[in-house]
Structure formats: C-alpha cells, structure tokens
C-alpha cells in the first residue's frame, strides 16, 4: 500500500498517520531486536538501550541516562537495577555525594554489547536496503527534522494532562476528555 506525500500532510485514515506508520516499522523490526535481546541474551530492549548508551558514554549519572533515553526515571531505575543484578553495569557513588552516582559497563556488559551490536546493526542495515545515498541523506535530514518538531510539540503541549499508565490512565480526580 503506497501513501502519497499529500496523505502524510493531510491523513484521511489511521493508516496514513505518520506516527502509526512509524510505529508499524518499529514494531516489525523491533520485534527482531526483542527476540535477540530477550531470547538470546536475557535482557529487555530497554536494558539493551541502557547498555548502548553506557558503551558510548560511560560514567553517565542515572538522571542523564533517563533523559537521553527519553524514559521516565522509574523505568530507567528498573532497567538499571536489573542490569546491576545481572552484573552488566556498576554504580559508582560520586565522592562527596553518595546520593549521586555514575554508571559504567562491566567487562560482562561490554562483552554483551559486542555480541549484540552486530546483529542489531544488520537489522538496521536491512531496513535501509534498496535506498540509494540520496534517499538515505534525505531520510537522515527528515528524521532530524521530525525529532526537532517532536521536541517542539512536547514543549508546546505541557498543558496536557500527564498519564499514569501504571494506575490505568489519567490522573485521579481529573477528567480528561478526548483530544
């Protein structure tokens, strides 16, 4: 099913919505990453994301890691706790402030990263198969622009009520109507 660029700007059905189309790509190819992580290595995709960031940026504090992963602190904390239990990362308290810490991969964490990155990289490369250099450049620019637009939208819509998924939806005591 082909969708014209006009339908991206003015979608007439759910399957023409950009976020829906992006989520379908992510769900399809992402399921392969989940199978590699969970089935092959006993970690979640969220834990894999933590390992990827710490491989590239060692000594990150948990709060900065959460920000870079675009996750709330609770989810990041659960992933960190699990990785600590699995001895894939270490938590080093900062001198002078034991409440603050930096996270690093262990040797076992580095080894897992080295084992997982090549097949995940191949999945990403396979997604781009058939695209020439010009199309890849355009996609890269488009993704950068989409991220800038998404960041702006989030900042511009701070007034929207927050959801509490663990409690089944909207904040208690507040009614949220359709958007």
């Amino acid at each position: 099913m082909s969708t014209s660029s006009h339908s991206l700007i003015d979608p007439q059905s759910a399957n023409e919505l950009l976020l829906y189309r992006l989520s379908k790509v992510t769900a399809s190819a992402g399921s392969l990453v989940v199978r590699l992580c969970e089935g092959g290595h006993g970690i979640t995709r969220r834990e894999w994301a933590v390992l990827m960031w710490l491989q590239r940026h060692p000594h990150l504090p948990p709060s900065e890691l959460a920000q870079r992963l675009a996750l709330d602190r609770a989810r990041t904390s659960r992933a960190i706790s699990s990785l600590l239990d699995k001895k894939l990362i270490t938590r080093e308290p900062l001198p002078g402030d034991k409440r603050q810490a930096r996270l690093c991969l262990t040797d076992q964490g580095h080894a897992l990263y080295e084992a997982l990155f090549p097949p995940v990289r191949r999945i990403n490369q396979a997604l781009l198969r058939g695209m020439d250099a010009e199309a890849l450049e355009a996609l890269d620019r488009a993704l950068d622009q989409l991220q800038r637009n998404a960041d702006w939208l989030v900042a511009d819509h701070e007034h929207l009520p927050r959801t509490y998924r663990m409690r089944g939806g909207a904040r208690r005591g507040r009614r949220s109507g359709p958007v």
Side-chain angles (χ1 to χ4, degrees):
M1 161 182 12
S2 176
T3 304
S4 72
S5 60
H6 176 68
S7 67
L8 286 172
I9 294 169
D10 187 20
Q12 300 299 309
S13 65
N15 65 336
E16 293 176 338
L17 293 168
L18 174 64
L19 291 176
Y20 174 73
R21 293 180 67 199
L22 291 172
S23 71
K24 280 182 61 177
V25 170
T26 301
S28 297
S31 69
L32 297 174
V33 176
V34 168
R35 287 166 54 190
L36 280 169
C37 290
E38 293 180 4
H41 298 280
I43 64 169
T44 66
R45 190 161 69 175
R46 186 171 296 134
E47 291 168 351
W48 168 237
V50 169
L51 292 178
M52 286 191 299
W53 270 102
L54 292 178
Q55 172 71 20
R56 181 96 193 243
H57 303 282
H59 308 292
L60 280 179
S63 59
E64 188 175 338
L65 180 63
Q67 181 181 15
R68 290 182 184 215
L69 289 170
L71 292 174
D72 61 56
R73 289 184 185 207
R75 287 183 176 145
T76 304
S77 179
R78 284 192 296 273
I80 289 168
S81 294
S82 178
L83 290 169
L84 286 166
D85 290 345
K86 294 171 185 174
K87 305 205 182 322
L88 296 171
I89 64 171
T90 59
R91 184 181 187 281
E92 302 167 357
L94 291 178
D97 188 354
K98 301 297 181 198
R99 295 173 299 157
Q100 299 293 319
R102 292 195 171 143
L103 304 168
C104 295
L105 295 182
T106 63
D107 289 344
Q108 190 178 346
H110 283 288
L112 179 55
Y113 173 86
E114 294 299 329
L116 254 174
F117 187 77
V120 171
R121 181 177 181 211
R122 285 191 295 275
I123 291 168
N124 278 262
Q125 290 170 327
L127 279 171
L128 300 171
R129 190 172 296 136
M131 297 179 76
D132 62 22
E134 188 177 315
L136 290 171
E137 285 290 325
L139 176 61
D140 194 43
R141 285 191 310 274
L143 290 170
D144 286 343
Q145 185 64 51
L146 287 170
Q147 187 61 60
R148 285 190 298 273
N149 292 349
D151 293 344
W152 174 83
L153 278 168
V154 169
D156 194 52
H157 289 80
E158 281 293 316
H159 63 281
L160 292 176
R162 301 259 181 222
T163 60
Y164 294 88
R165 292 183 182 135
M166 299 302 280
R167 289 188 241 149
R171 189 180 282 182
R172 292 186 197 278
R174 215 187 244 197
R175 290 188 68 168
S176 65
V179 178

